[in-house]
Amino acid sequence: MSGAGSPHGARVAVIFAIGAATLAAADAVIVRALNGVVHPFVIGFFRAFFGAVILLPWVVLRPSVLRSSHPLRQHAVRAGFKLLAMVAFFAAFSWGPLADVTAIAFTSPIFVLLGAALTLGERPGPVMIGAVALGFAGAMLIVGPSGAGFSLAILLALIGAVLQSAIQLILKSMSKGDSTSTLVVWNLLLTVPIAFAFALPFWVTPGAKELSLLALQGVVGTACMGMMTHAFSLAPATIIAPVDFLRLPLVALGGFALFGENVALTTLCGGGLIGLAALIAARSGKATSG
């Protein structure tokens, strides 16, 4: 078996990352295809429910995966943050241009940098500060006067990106005591009851078509999580991170082909700046921690 740092391992990791990016783009398209018929909190419940159903046989065969060094409440807090991030993105994908929302979602690594400086005492250097400024410029290009404008969908995408960065900071500490498999399983299992509680006030039982799309989304989401997790286990983040930006053209293509959405030049340029900022931040963080 190839090591995590081997060329073969890196190639396999890139293949898995491409698959994960493709599935993530499909996830966004499925949410848009639901056409606002299903409330975002209800989508969040079914996403977690079908994902948990897929994982349950594996948990039964390997019950040791449930052993954690962290208290249940810590897993629950992370699951709650994850649910709110998903719901924010689901609502944004339902109400805003797919490409714009996806581009704004890539600001999450920038918020991770800011969060690490504020909560973990990490002092960003000039390169990190430059990456944050570049990412901010990219976001402003998308929502500026010549862009899509600062809509509710863009605001929800920013909220989702902030919550996603909080999850990454929580994972940074939790991953020191638990395996990736344990973190993934507990996240899904705890998200189901939390999501159900949030979904109850908005509950309308989906029709057959919507239910089939939600089931497909559960499969796609779980497979995406597994593929990306495996990719990160085979190669450094600096190799995997650039591949994730494949989501933007794939989502833009899906939005154009299925929903007739045109992609503005400002979205492509802004997304490029945000992607470049995230890559600079990832490489700078690698060099600092190495």
Side-chain angles (χ1 to χ4, degrees):
M1 184 178 292
S2 300
S6 70
H8 177 71
R11 285 194 294 271
V12 174
V14 168
I15 292 173
F16 272 94
I18 291 173
T22 304
L23 291 175
D27 192 3
V29 171
I30 290 172
V31 172
R32 172 54 65 82
L34 288 167
N35 200 28
V37 175
V38 185
H39 193 278
F41 274 117
V42 179
I43 296 177
F45 165 71
F46 279 107
R47 164 73 171 271
F49 174 77
F50 285 116
V53 167
I54 293 170
L55 282 183
L56 272 179
W58 181 64
V59 174
V60 171
L61 292 174
R62 290 188 56 188
S64 60
V65 76
L66 294 173
R67 294 176 192 155
S68 173
S69 60
H70 301 290
L72 195 61
R73 65 177 179 275
Q74 194 168 357
H75 287 284
V77 168
R78 178 176 157 251
F81 272 80
K82 179 70 173 177
L83 171 66
L84 293 176
M86 280 197 308
V87 169
F89 283 129
F90 291 162
F93 283 130
S94 296
W95 302 332
L98 291 177
D100 289 1
V101 172
T102 301
I104 293 297
F106 285 134
T107 60
S108 181
I110 311 303
F111 290 118
V112 170
L113 287 180
L114 296 175
L118 292 173
T119 63
L120 303 179
E122 296 183 6
R123 305 184 71 176
V127 175
M128 290 290 199
I129 294 173
V132 170
L134 191 62
F136 180 77
M140 290 303 98
L141 186 60
I142 294 172
V143 304
S146 60
F150 196 82
S151 62
L152 177 59
I154 294 297
L155 175 61
L156 288 168
L158 281 170
I159 291 173
V162 171
L163 290 170
Q164 189 66 40
S165 67
I167 295 165
Q168 293 299 322
L169 292 172
I170 294 172
L171 274 175
K172 188 171 183 177
S173 62
M174 294 185 72
S175 61
K176 295 175 183 176
D178 286 358
S179 68
T180 301
S181 300
T182 297
L183 294 171
V184 169
V185 167
W186 273 117
N187 179 77
L188 272 176
L189 294 181
L190 289 174
T191 299
V192 174
I194 296 172
F196 183 68
F198 274 101
L200 269 179
F202 311 100
W203 189 270
V204 175
T205 303
K209 175 187 174 184
E210 288 75 26
L211 201 58
S212 62
L213 285 173
L214 290 167
L216 177 61
Q217 188 196 31
V219 174
V220 166
T222 303
C224 177
M225 187 187 305
M227 293 181 79
M228 187 57 80
T229 299
H230 190 55
F232 276 111
S233 72
L234 293 174
T238 48
I239 293 177
I240 303 303
V243 182
D244 191 38
F245 294 110
L246 181 63
R247 273 192 292 154
L248 183 56
L250 288 176
V251 165
L253 180 62
F256 174 75
L258 298 176
F259 311 112
E261 293 185 358
N262 293 318
V263 183
L265 181 60
T266 50
T267 298
L268 295 177
C269 293
L273 289 178
I274 292 170
L276 180 60
L279 292 179
I280 292 173
R283 293 184 180 278
S284 180
K286 173 83 172 176
T288 303
S289 61

